[in-house]
Amino acid sequence: MYLEKINGPEDVKKLTDDEMIKLAAEMRNALLKRASIHGGHFGPNFGMIETTIALHYVFDSPKDKIVYDVSHQTYPHKMLTGRKDAYLYEDKYDDVSGYSNPHESEHDFFTIGHTSTSISLASGLAKARNLKGEDGNVIAVIGDGSLSGGEALEGLDYAAELDGNFIIVVNDNDMSIAENHGGMYKNLKKLRETDGKAECNLFKAMGLDYVYVKEGNNVRVLIDAFKKVKDSKKPVVVHISTLKGKGYKPAEEHKEEWHYNGPFDIETGKPLGEMEGEDYSGVTADYLLKKMKQDKSVVAITSATPTVLGFTKDKREEAGKQFMDVGIAEETAAAIASGIAVNGGKPVWGVYSTFVQRAYDQISQDICINNSPATIVTFAGSVYGMNDVTHLGLYDIPMLSNIPNLVYLAPTTKEEYLAMLDWSIEQTEHPVAIKLPGGEMVSDGKQITKDFSVLNKYEMTQQGKKVAFIGLGTFYSLAVGAAAELEKKTGVKPTVINPYYITGTDEQMLEELKKEHDVIVTIEDGILDGGFGEKIARFYGDSAIKVLNFGLKKEFPDRYDVDEMLKKNHLTKELILTDIMNNL
Amino acid sequence: MYLEKINGPEDVKKLTDDEMIKLAAEMRNALLKRASIHGGHFGPNFGMIETTIALHYVFDSPKDKIVYDVSHQTYPHKMLTGRKDAYLYEDKYDDVSGYSNPHESEHDFFTIGHTSTSISLASGLAKARNLKGEDGNVIAVIGDGSLSGGEALEGLDYAAELDGNFIIVVNDNDMSIAENHGGMYKNLKKLRETDGKAECNLFKAMGLDYVYVKEGNNVRVLIDAFKKVKDSKKPVVVHISTLKGKGYKPAEEHKEEWHYNGPFDIETGKPLGEMEGEDYSGVTADYLLKKMKQDKSVVAITSATPTVLGFTKDKREEAGKQFMDVGIAEETAAAIASGIAVNGGKPVWGVYSTFVQRAYDQISQDICINNSPATIVTFAGSVYGMNDVTHLGLYDIPMLSNIPNLVYLAPTTKEEYLAMLDWSIEQTEHPVAIKLPGGEMVSDGKQITKDFSVLNKYEMTQQGKKVAFIGLGTFYSLAVGAAAELEKKTGVKPTVINPYYITGTDEQMLEELKKEHDVIVTIEDGILDGGFGEKIARFYGDSAIKVLNFGLKKEFPDRYDVDEMLKKNHLTKELILTDIMNNL
């Protein structure tokens, strides 16, 4: 086995062409086995094996620096840079993260997980090299799907201004997570069809030199191409045509489904653990599809993650023009939502919490200053969400809730969510965002009669005294549980409140609580800094009432264990109770 | 006079070619006079007079919808859409804002002040039109300088997917605020030189149809061009070559200086009121230029506003390769800063508070997750900063200070600022941002010996009891003043603290304050929600200490009066004292 003997790029350089082809096959096998057991990003890695071998054959990492966009294609790179064991041996699968990671290897320069960043980040590496009067190649690798993101296009434009060597490898597999969207993809297609010879060329129009490699899964061809640009003295794009999922039939044929996968059966390609029951994604698609049929002006918007809204391919077709995928382009998603709302349409942009922050300025300026009645739904903004450091959903409360004019709502159940969504779509006064709760979806069948247009009216779901629990979103149920426990312990029934509104305080209710309460407890699913609880603490600042804020510490944890994280932050019934008892 | 009779676009349509030429001259005169007395955006408006006349001659606003990017070229539009008086009569100059504004006119669809948004916003208008089955033209106007921004490029890419009419007018005056930066500008140049005939064409590469108009200041030529694209059934770019500052020699010759101007003498072009003394911009450039000479790895970065860092043209030349203008591309500025820092360089990105929010995700992901020791300096993040609703500097504390790993510092004097800047540039542990104070620069000549690497250590500048004032940045001096007043009133000397650190609490000091203090007062220059004071309120939540937070209300005020704003938010010595006395 060749792979077993690869301890670093120097070992790749020793191989013959034939051996590299065998190495590629071994890498594919290892990836397939690992993916079938462990899950992970699939398609992008399978297509990039030959390119990665060729890169490490031609260039001298880490002196030559390779930066991989979004990291979905870094597994082969990790295999060739001293981390093969994590792909060969089941007990070592968790030794590596799913993203490029400088803590793992000197061959990784950044922790990267969001798309469209590699060109700009690598430009910085090149600039520093120039300032220090050093040499060496700097290579940014980016997928065609990521190219539509603002930061990538800015970087592509700026790259032409760099002095000295700078190589941009465009891995063109003709796919984003789902199909690509945007006019540039016609140009990439034309370039593929003309063997790179079409006169009209996006990369040349950005002032860059250009090389096309048709056989993007042929190691020898790639090596020759990279040798030609190695040590080139000006920025150049190497446009490579690859096959997403190459080497595994189901993945080649169903590229969207196999962008990322959980454990599956290799023979059939069938997933091993099927998700059971409904979730917020499915519920959202069902609701919206029904709504769209009643109202032609309702439109769902995604920025390249259609299934987070529940819009699988069949549902996208069902929605037709009422479903928009703007590609990886969150800024444009926000702006388009505003434009639609201003012109009388009813837009709903569904976006992961971790990605909503890619459009802070657009949410503030394009939507909120204009008071456009657009709806944003944030998914996986929870301690129960993704736990890779680059994909955390712990920051959307401080990020969104302090933007003026925005009404940020926190439902605790499916029923509340759908009532809020319906209200938001139909109203024309406010920009609205809805933070979906984390953990398993709660559905209690309760009919929601609340009028959400009366802003910042909390609901007291249990009237008691001494202690009041304000449980936001995900942690409303924790508040209910802690309250019951406290009553058992003290014999006094505490008050429980579902606040609904993250963006404002119900001053009247908070004022009334002063009469019969000594301690106010807030619990929220996100970091405490800049969050919901601090607003309550400020409100009671000039009073004798004590306020205890529960939430997460401001930090960037990586691959944390949820239970440990909850304990560390006192987000359990028991620990909350202990803290309360210390204050009674 | 023709202009006096223009009450709306319908009056433009009645004019002959000759009359339109005369109208253009009148508009230029009115703009010149107003600019000389009132100040405002100059160059972009002067170049766009003929285009605006032609747009309103050909299209039927507001049914046809024109969206102006960044609004720097909306003055002629306002003159032709019922707001001429604000340009003709000195006593009415303030009747209009400097930006497009739906509150002023049905011909304005959005309040716009940040760049690069028009294509995406207008795409939303077009999409809603399609959903509702309506017709009418939608026109996005954008300058060449704004094209480099991520949102604009995303929009340009997505536009090709729109069905039906969509017209993008690219106003190419071959300038950003300063000179353009980026490879695409070579392509625009080539297009200008070939009368639009060059095969390699950025807009076509984005999948769009394309028309070039060489004589962008010739009304008749423009009318003919617009007539050709009117009611076209697919997205098309109309690329117009205009002259920035056209019609006023000093502005034509010194385009950067005349992008925006204060009052000036029309004969000589000389400003009427000269800024006296030094300011934070000049201090920054002087410091950095000196530093650059000692250290080749120090590099100043701007995203198209070089003079905010004090880098006027001569200083940019002096800095050479150690000054980078990435163009309007804040995301890339942040990422490049990270890349430079990771590769051993010392980057300082200077940016207006209102624009730093255009790179939230990049600051969080590219810089902070990677703990890149990059330095960001935020300018005009203050109630004393710009007061147009689109350019407020009131939100950077909640925006930046809740991002993990970032050290956000608030100097109160020139000396503290330079000490922080020097520390930040030389250290390699943390991403650092520095929030420049608002109002007049304070310089007390004090030597700063503080070691900023000991994070979150506040400084007690006056030890007292009963009441402690924590005055952040700008408002440290207000805290000192209020403390002196309180001592006069009560005879008891209060404590005064300069916290320096926005991003953390000095728990030890705050704990000690409990012993001899009843009330803690925080004062900050920004909205209270998600801000500094709330963190102090949270800290004392479980204690008997009272906390009073002073700062601004979460809202989007427009063209406010500073004194009124301060009073409204109790940000005066007297009102703070009254609030304290009510709590003693």
Side-chain angles (χ1 to χ4, degrees), chain A residues 15-17 20-21 54 57 218-225 227:
Chain A
L15 302 178
T16 65
D17 282 17
M20 283 190 276
I21 290 168
Y57 186 89
N218 180 324
V219 182
R220 174 44 53 188
V221 169
L222 288 160
I223 287 174
D224 291 342
K227 277 187 173 165

Side-chain angles (χ1 to χ4, degrees), chain A residues 131-173:
Chain A
L131 288 170
K132 295 187 292 174
E134 295 173 355
D135 55 8
N137 290 264
V138 174
I139 302 118
V141 177
I142 186 164
D144 55 315
S146 299
L147 270 184
S148 62
E151 188 178 355
L153 288 165
E154 285 183 4
L156 204 58
D157 174 45
Y158 185 70
E161 296 239 339
L162 284 171
D163 295 317
N165 176 279
F166 191 64
I167 299 164
I168 300 169
V169 176
V170 175
N171 165 32
D172 183 359
N173 60 26

Side-chain angles (χ1 to χ4, degrees), chain B residues 266-311:
Chain B
I266 293 182
E267 286 304 310
T268 63
K270 294 247 159 69
L272 293 183
E274 195 68 66
M275 267 281 293
E276 271 176 47
E278 51 179 3
D279 62 10
Y280 277 112
S281 296
V283 160
T284 304
D286 290 349
Y287 165 85
L288 284 175
L289 278 170
K290 200 171 152 200
K291 191 91 182 164
M292 284 170 183
K293 278 166 197 155
Q294 299 157 359
D295 187 339
K296 283 289 157 212
S297 70
V298 171
V299 56
I301 303 170
T302 185
S303 30
T305 55
T307 55
V308 77
L309 270 165
F311 279 82

Side-chain angles (χ1 to χ4, degrees), chain A residues 330-371:
Chain A
E330 289 83 0
E331 301 172 55
T332 285
I336 283 183
S338 177
I340 292 172
V342 160
N343 203 10
K346 298 173 178 174
V348 178
W349 176 33
V351 57
Y352 281 108
S353 164
T354 186
F355 298 142
V356 76
Q357 69 189 35
R358 292 165 69 86
Y360 180 99
D361 192 50
Q362 291 70 32
I363 293 169
S364 175
Q365 295 265 324
D366 296 346
I367 296 179
C368 290
I369 284 182
N370 285 288
N371 244 323

Side-chain angles (χ1 to χ4, degrees), chain A residues 378-394:
Chain A
T378 61
F379 290 79
S382 170
V383 66
Y384 297 104
M386 294 176 275
N387 73 353
D388 293 292
V389 64
T390 47
H391 287 73
L392 302 171
L394 313 176

Side-chain angles (χ1 to χ4, degrees), chain B residues 201-234:
Chain B
N201 177 317
L202 175 68
F203 306 106
K204 288 185 182 174
M206 288 292 199
L208 298 162
D209 284 354
Y210 175 84
V211 174
Y212 180 72
V213 181
K214 187 179 190 151
E215 296 179 63
N217 291 103
N218 180 324
V219 182
R220 173 45 51 190
V221 169
L222 288 160
I223 287 173
D224 290 344
F226 291 143
K227 276 188 174 166
K228 268 184 211 141
V229 297
K230 188 179 180 182
D231 299 325
S232 78
K233 292 296 169 220
K234 51 196 284 241

